[in-house]
Structure formats: structure tokens, C-alpha cells
Amino acid sequence: MAELGIASEQPLKIALAKGRLLEQIIPLLESVGMAPAAADIQSRKLILPGPNGCQFLIIRAADVCTFVERGAADIGIVGRDLLLEARPNVYEPLDLGIGRCRLCVAAPADRPDPMALPAGSALKVATKYDHLAASFFQQRGVQAEIIHLYGSMELAPLVAMADCIVDLVETGGTLRANGLAEFATLFDISSRLIVNPASYALRKERIQPLIEQLRSAVEEQT
Ligand code: PRP
């Protein structure tokens, strides 16, 4: 029991992804009184203090699953795309309904539909979602050579490095600006709350009310 007592005194660590999603996460956290201070968000600090002794870890979106799975953070907010790709061992109690977009196959609009290729065809696919893209094309009998990139995926077909891309599309603006079009949707995406299973077991009295507060806030916004 003494160990449980010590665990409950530690700050609740919440991993947040830097970047455009943070702009949508902060108002949601503010609505439940759990947001970092605006001045801290603008700073280069990576650990930000929060109310009720919580701490926010500001990290790259692709690293949120790792921090939560390893228990370095108790809770995280991450896109469903990254959960599907990494399949971390975490508890996923809540769809936050923000960061809505879709994971798509896109290719130059003036080229043949990559989804209309006969089975057995070969295709070069640029993506950061290696497993999801490989599985998608394998199920369709297409031999996909996966070219892993970290960003600016849309460039790859324009310089003939890939035939198509598998990437997130939100407004479609980036595709249009680069003469690409969507040809298939793999998954609809939104941001999810994730929890380290051991943290949840040890700190349920702290974590469950936060989940319920966020659930209510999400329901009010929809
Ligand atoms: C994401 C994604 C697309 C773009 C889609 O990239 O990879 O490139 O946003 O958004 P849109 O449909 O509204 O144009 P991001 O801007 O996050 O940068 P990245 O290329 O470094 O991943």
C-alpha cells in the first residue's frame, strides 16, 4: 500500500504532440481546467507545469505512443493513424473528435488510377505509414515497394521517386497545390486519448475522472 501511496504523489504526466494538433488540444484541455499556461506553450520548454500537479510533456506526434507505452507519460493524445501504424500496448478509452482527417492513397491527378492496377502489378509508395500501406496494397494483390519518408510526401510522385503516396489529408489543400488527387481512403482519423495500462491500474482514481471530464467536454462539442 505504501508503494501505491508514493505512486499517487507523482505528477500525472500527459504527453502532447507539438504542431498543428496542439492548437485543437489546448481548448479541449482548457475546458476541463487541465491546460498548460499560454506563455509556457510558446516557450521552448519540453516539460510544462499544469494544474493539480500534472505535467505536460511536449514531444513529436510520432513519439507519443512510445512515451505512453513505456510509462514515461501516464496519458497521451495521439492520432489514430499513429496508433494503427505502431499498435502500442496502451489503453484507448476516448475518441476526442479533434484532428479529424483521413489516411489516403493519392497520386498525380493526370496519371492512371493506382487502385485500378491489375493484381500482381508493382507500385512505388512513399509514406511514413509503412505497415498500413504495405498491408493495404498486399490485400489487393499489388506489390508495393514502400519508400519511407518523414514528411512532404506529396513531393515523391512529382519527382518520379514514387507512383503514389499514403498520407493524411485534411483539407486537401496540399494535394491540390501539388496536382495530386485522392484515389482511396484507408482510414478515417481523429485524435485519441491513450493511457499506460499500469498507470491506469495504479492511478485509476486520478485518471478515470479526467477521462470522464474529457468525455463530457467532447460530447458537449458534438
Ligand atoms: C500533413 C500531411 C499532409 C498535409 C495534409 O502534413 O502529411 O501533407 O498535412 O493537410 P491538408 O489536406 O489540409 O493540406 P504536415 O503539414 O503535418 O507536415 P509534414 O509533411 O511534415 O507531415
Side-chain angles (χ1 to χ4, degrees):
M1 285 307 290
E3 281 182 18
L4 289 179
I6 290 167
S8 66
E9 294 303 316
Q10 293 173 357
L12 191 71
K13 296 193 183 73
I14 303 174
L16 302 179
K18 47 175 118 172
R20 68 162 101 171
L21 186 59
L22 198 55
E23 293 166 19
Q24 296 179 52
I25 292 171
I26 295 299
L28 183 63
L29 292 174
E30 281 173 345
S31 72
V32 299
M34 281 292 283
D40 285 336
I41 296 167
Q42 301 303 325
S43 77
R44 298 283 294 171
K45 286 185 200 162
L46 300 175
I47 300 179
L48 310 183
N52 304 321
C54 79
Q55 288 181 339
F56 296 96
L57 311 185
I58 307 300
I59 54 187
R60 284 187 61 161
D63 294 332
V64 170
C65 289
T66 305
F67 275 72
V68 175
E69 185 174 36
R70 288 177 168 269
D74 302 292
I75 293 173
I77 294 178
V78 65
R80 183 181 179 222
D81 53 320
L82 295 168
L83 286 171
L84 290 168
E85 177 68 17
R87 298 203 170 277
N89 176 26
V90 296
Y91 172 42
E92 186 195 322
L94 189 57
D95 181 348
L96 295 170
I98 54 176
R100 287 191 187 281
C101 55
R102 51 203 182 274
L103 187 65
C104 291
V105 176
D110 58 358
R111 305 243 192 98
D113 180 351
M115 302 312 302
L117 291 172
S121 301
L123 199 63
K124 289 182 182 169
V125 183
T127 188
K128 57 176 132 177
Y129 304 96
D130 298 24
H131 296 112
L132 296 178
S135 166
F136 179 79
F137 285 107
Q138 188 181 31
Q139 286 166 17
R140 283 152 185 80
V142 171
Q143 296 174 33
E145 178 189 340
I146 304 297
I147 302 171
H148 185 88
L149 295 178
Y150 293 91
S152 301
M153 239 66 66
E154 294 84 358
L155 183 59
L158 304 183
V159 296
M161 187 167 73
D163 300 300
C164 65
I165 65 173
V166 169
D167 195 19
L168 297 180
V169 178
E170 185 182 354
T171 63
T174 309
L175 292 184
R176 282 192 297 278
N178 293 288
L180 306 184
E182 291 176 55
F183 287 93
T185 299
L186 281 70
F187 298 102
D188 287 319
I189 303 298
S190 58
S191 296
R192 308 298 167 99
L193 189 76
I194 59 172
V195 183
N196 175 275
S199 294
Y200 186 72
L202 286 169
R203 314 186 72 182
K204 189 172 180 180
E205 288 172 12
R206 179 103 196 256
I207 293 173
Q208 188 61 37
L210 178 59
I211 294 172
E212 296 311 325
Q213 282 179 301
L214 285 167
R215 192 189 309 282
S216 298
V218 169
E219 285 170 1
E220 275 175 28
Q221 288 176 12
T222 54

